[in-house]
Amino acid sequence: MTWKGKDMDTSKRNLYCNLAALCLLAVVLYLFDQYGTEYQIRILNNMAVFITLAVSYNLVNGMCGLLHLGPNAFITIGAYTSALLTMSPMEKQMSFIIEPLIWPFSVLQAPFFVSLIAGGVMATIFAFIISFPVFRVRGDYLAIVTLGFGEVIRVLCNALQGVTNGPLGLKGLQPYTNLWWSWGIAVFTIIVITKLVNSSYGRAMKAIREDEIAAKAMGVDPFRHLMLAFLVSAFFCGVAGGLMAHLITTISPTLFTFFLTFNLLIIIVVGGLGSTTGAVIGAALFAWGGEALRVVESPMNFGAFTIPGIPGMRMVLFSVILMVVIIFARRGIMGRNEFSWNWLFTKLGLNAK
Amino acid sequence: MNDFFRLESLVMQFGGLTAVKDFSLSIEPGELVGLIGPNGAGKTTVFNMITGFLTPTSGRVLWQGEDITGLSVHQITARGIARTFQNIRLFSDMTVLENVMVSFHHKVRSRFWKAMLGLPSHGKEERRIRQESYRFLQELNLGHLADEKAGNLAYGQQRRLEIARALATYPKLLLLDEPAAGMNPQETMELADLVLEIRQKHALTIFLIEHDMKFVMGLCERIKVLDYGISIAEGTPEEIQSNPDVIKAYLGEPKHA
């Protein structure tokens, strides 16, 4: 059996399955859009934003095996860039009361989509600049350098009042982010990153993760490929930052602390480092689970005794779940495996073998 | 003097330690040359200088008329020098086929954005790489293991996969660092046949390090001997076997009663 034959047999079926899955997603989104409560729509939007973030973050941490701790910086840059572009010059003038907004941001205004792309591009530019110092080191040192960068950006957001309005943040953004935008971008991110990971470039990245010395000896330039992953990841983090800004409609530096990076790290570790499917599952569980667990914080009545509502109980339970996952599935829910139609069909016993 | 491959007085110093001193060697196209010496003689250091993992303190590496001293590892690989490693370095969590496919990457022509958008030109290239990689696996009797994780292979198979991976970069000069290490006599014999076979088939020049004397003496046309970083002899297997300096390096001087 040649490889070509095997590919051809299933590729058509997989294409149809993918299209069917997309249609199903569209129908579900439509139903929620029409009949869902505001609360449900909000959770779904959050889920999509976190899927975009986790999938792109996983490209660096999971596929390339780098402990990158600075995605919050790129999310911040994306969020601010995009927010500054969608606000009208009038609004900006009213918001920036301490120090006026510097030119050209003060006069520029762009449609939502353009502002998202601009956020992504701006994040990519910053990623490009810092990739030179970052990739001189590896391992723990790389973690520290990227962590430091995240903090620098946060501090700058507080200090550069002429650009970011400092601690006051930007308020009253238009809630442009709806289900179509957030899920559209999430699906696009998943497709593009999956294609990249499964291509020759993705293999080179994984080879660097497995053994950088051997990868070099096989002709792979580590710097170029790590940078590629880093920039692609930064771009989508920036776009997701823009989505986030127009979902929450108020942004300030406190929103983008290291805690955000930490949440993303938990998501991809629980989902399975190096698995895009895992990142999606992790993000979905995080966004939905975080809300679903609110139940435990309300007062509960067990007939004989009553538990008063304990704020923060949610986080305790969340930690317990985390520990259970790490103990029983050390490599996360998916490990490094990916969902595939072949796998599903084999499980269902439908694969002609 | 030839223009194919020449090492000119390579010196490698680590701080105060001179690991390799004044190492010169010239290899003709198609030759099979061995590098031997006791442990710690600096053999792997020589390989590391050739492949760019170390930049020599002084001296030059000349390859097809070009000075490649100080180039990065991947650039040297792209110029047609491939190597295997003394301690096996496979991409353990990737499949056997993917391990070989990585070697094609430096020649991939479609840009990354074409890959990301899944354009047909990239798909075509991918399929070609897959086919050709599979051919290399079949050649080294690993075809049936293509979808297995590389880390799950038996030791001898892992060694063969390392060679397959190096071959897939389409080298003209292949450096084998102790290919027979840890193999039993039967496997070593098969390996010797394999080395001759791939040399014939891919028109390779081979430079190898090995401790198994039977293997080296039976296989190599010319042997270079290193001891404490100094090359002490060079010649045919017969000449090396009877060279008093070599015997002294390996066995020590006879004690005077």
Side-chain angles (χ1 to χ4, degrees):
Chain A
M1 181 174 62
T2 65
W3 287 97
K4 201 173 176 179
K6 195 182 167 192
D7 282 351
M8 285 291 159
D9 279 345
T10 50
S11 67
K12 234 185 202 137
R13 186 198 66 197
N14 291 349
L15 181 69
Y16 291 138
C17 287
N18 284 334
L19 289 177
L22 276 181
C23 291
L24 185 67
L25 178 67
V27 169
V28 170
L29 289 181
Y30 175 78
L31 290 178
F32 270 106
D33 201 31
Q34 294 294 312
Y35 308 109
T37 63
E38 206 173 308
Y39 179 61
Q40 288 168 329
I41 291 176
R42 194 168 183 85
I43 293 177
L44 279 177
N45 273 324
N46 247 329
M47 199 182 272
V49 170
F50 270 98
I51 286 175
T52 311
L53 287 172
V55 168
S56 55
Y57 186 42
N58 187 48
L59 179 65
V60 176
N61 283 41
M63 304 302 172
C64 299
L66 300 174
L67 185 54
H68 158 40
L69 294 179
N72 59 328
F74 303 125
I75 302 167
T76 316
I77 294 166
Y80 272 97
T81 310
S82 154
L84 285 173
L85 284 176
T86 55
M87 288 169 86
S88 69
M90 201 46 192
E91 284 173 318
K92 283 186 257 196
Q93 209 175 6
M94 275 160 57
S95 295
F96 284 71
I97 44 174
I98 300 175
E99 237 179 86
L101 180 60
I102 57 155
W103 190 88
F105 291 112
S106 53
V107 290
L108 278 178
Q109 196 182 358
F112 182 47
F113 180 67
V114 177
S115 83
L116 287 182
I117 300 291
V121 169
M122 193 62 105
T124 314
I125 292 171
F126 273 84
F128 178 76
I129 295 167
I130 72 151
S131 63
F132 291 93
V134 163
F135 294 128
R136 292 187 70 88
V137 290
R138 293 285 186 276
D140 304 350
Y141 302 101
L142 186 138
I144 293 167
V145 175
T146 49
L147 177 70
F149 178 67
E151 281 302 288
V152 167
I153 292 295
R154 193 180 59 83
V155 170
L156 281 181
C157 279
N158 264 322
L160 286 178
Q161 300 203 332
V163 183
T164 63
N165 207 16
L168 291 177
L170 304 173
K171 294 193 182 70
L173 304 174
Q174 292 298 317
Y176 287 122
T177 305
N178 57 24
L179 284 177
W180 302 114
W181 276 116
S182 62
W183 282 93
I185 286 174
V187 168
F188 180 74
T189 309
I190 294 170
I191 292 173
V192 164
I193 288 190
T194 307
K195 290 259 184 221
L196 180 66
V197 166
N198 290 335
S199 75
S200 190
Y201 290 89
R203 268 196 308 275
M205 288 168 194
K206 288 185 205 157
I208 295 168
R209 170 188 75 192
E210 295 293 311
D211 191 324
E212 190 170 337
I213 290 177
K216 282 200 279 189
M218 297 307 127
V220 175
D221 179 358
F223 180 72
R224 246 186 82 209
H225 291 88
L226 294 179
M227 181 141 116
L228 174 64
F230 197 59
L231 297 193
V232 169
S233 168
F235 177 81
F236 286 108
C237 279
V239 172
L243 283 175
M244 211 182 220
H246 294 91
L247 181 64
I248 307 173
T249 66
T250 302
I251 54 171
S252 67
T254 48
L255 199 62
F256 307 106
T257 54
F258 177 69
F259 201 64
L260 181 58
T261 296
F262 187 65
N263 282 341
L264 285 177
L265 196 60
I266 290 175
I267 289 173
I268 61 174
V269 168
V270 167
L273 265 180
S275 165
T276 304
T277 316
V280 173
I281 293 175
L285 281 181
F286 180 83
W288 172 76
E291 291 301 320
L293 285 179
R294 273 189 202 279
V295 185
V296 299
E297 284 181 11
S298 56
M300 272 179 281
N301 211 330
F302 289 109
F305 60 99
T306 329
I307 304 175
I310 309 167
M313 195 61 190
R314 192 160 60 107
M315 278 307 160
V316 174
L317 213 70
F318 209 77
S319 316
V320 172
I321 294 171
L322 242 180
M323 281 188 267
V324 169
V325 169
I326 296 303
I327 291 169
F328 290 103
R330 200 152 295 168
R331 298 179 74 192
I333 295 168
M334 291 300 289
R336 275 182 187 161
N337 304 319
E338 296 288 357
F339 169 82
S340 73
W341 295 111
N342 292 350
W343 170 84
L344 185 70
F345 278 91
T346 313
K347 279 274 161 198
L348 294 175
L350 294 174
N351 236 4
K353 274 258 164 178
Chain B
M1 282 290 175
N2 76 86
D3 266 347
F4 183 67
F5 179 68
R6 198 160 77 235
L7 303 174
E8 283 181 354
S9 11
L10 289 179
V11 177
M12 189 70 230
Q13 285 173 330
F14 299 107
L17 177 88
T18 306
V20 173
K21 197 176 170 187
D22 204 23
F23 187 89
S24 295
L25 177 72
S26 170
I27 298 180
E28 303 284 335
E31 251 190 317
L32 209 167
V33 182
L35 180 62
I36 62 170
N39 285 328
K43 303 182 296 293
T44 300
T45 306
V46 170
F47 269 28
N48 284 341
M49 284 190 283
I50 298 172
T51 48
F53 281 100
L54 293 171
T55 307
T57 315
S58 69
R60 296 199 300 167
V61 182
L62 297 169
W63 169 243
Q64 299 190 317
E66 185 192 4
D67 186 354
I68 59 166
T69 330
L71 287 186
S72 0
V73 179
H74 60 95
Q75 288 170 321
I76 291 175
T77 307
R79 279 168 172 73
I81 300 181
R83 71 173 291 179
T84 64
F85 294 91
Q86 185 176 354
N87 43 344
I88 298 176
R89 285 181 173 276
L90 291 173
F91 309 126
S92 334
D93 209 47
M94 295 164 75
T95 68
V96 170
L97 186 70
E98 282 175 328
N99 263 270
V100 180
M101 288 169 83
V102 168
S103 302
F104 284 83
H105 184 65
H106 70 278
K107 284 194 306 234
V108 162
R109 250 181 278 131
S110 40
R111 312 285 308 170
F112 73 90
W113 53 269
K114 282 191 181 166
M116 288 171 82
L117 298 177
L119 296 188
S121 65
H122 180 264
K124 215 170 128 191
E125 198 166 16
E126 276 286 289
R127 278 195 294 277
R128 186 182 57 80
I129 291 175
R130 192 172 280 270
Q131 298 278 19
E132 285 182 32
S133 303
Y134 192 59
R135 245 190 31 230
F136 278 107
L137 286 184
Q138 281 179 321
E139 187 183 332
L140 291 177
N141 277 330
L142 293 166
H144 58 293
L145 297 165
D147 289 326
E148 193 69 48
K149 285 258 161 74
N152 297 343
L153 296 191
Y155 185 80
Q157 292 168 336
Q158 294 200 359
R159 283 261 171 228
R160 284 215 303 278
L161 179 54
E162 268 225 328
I163 295 176
R165 206 175 56 167
L167 281 180
T169 65
Y170 290 93
K172 293 194 188 73
L173 174 66
L174 180 62
L175 307 178
L176 301 171
D177 196 346
E178 298 199 21
M183 286 187 167
N184 64 35
Q186 172 67 26
E187 286 172 322
T188 308
M189 254 171 58
E190 286 170 12
L191 179 71
D193 290 339
L194 178 71
V195 170
L196 290 174
E197 198 185 304
I198 58 172
R199 174 170 76 145
Q200 180 77 34
K201 195 166 166 194
H202 299 274
L204 285 174
T205 308
I206 295 175
F207 186 26
L208 62 86
I209 295 176
E210 189 45 69
H211 276 301
D212 188 321
M213 283 309 145
K214 208 174 134 201
F215 180 83
V216 176
M217 296 300 168
L219 200 60
C220 297
E221 291 150 359
R222 194 149 59 92
I223 292 169
K224 183 101 174 165
V225 190
L226 263 187
D227 188 26
Y228 290 113
I230 299 163
S231 77
I232 55 172
E234 186 181 334
T236 62
E238 295 73 34
E239 287 165 2
I240 295 297
Q241 275 166 336
S242 54
N243 187 312
D245 285 338
V246 176
I247 295 167
K248 202 168 79 186
Y250 270 93
L251 302 175
E253 279 186 88
K255 270 194 189 135
H256 294 288

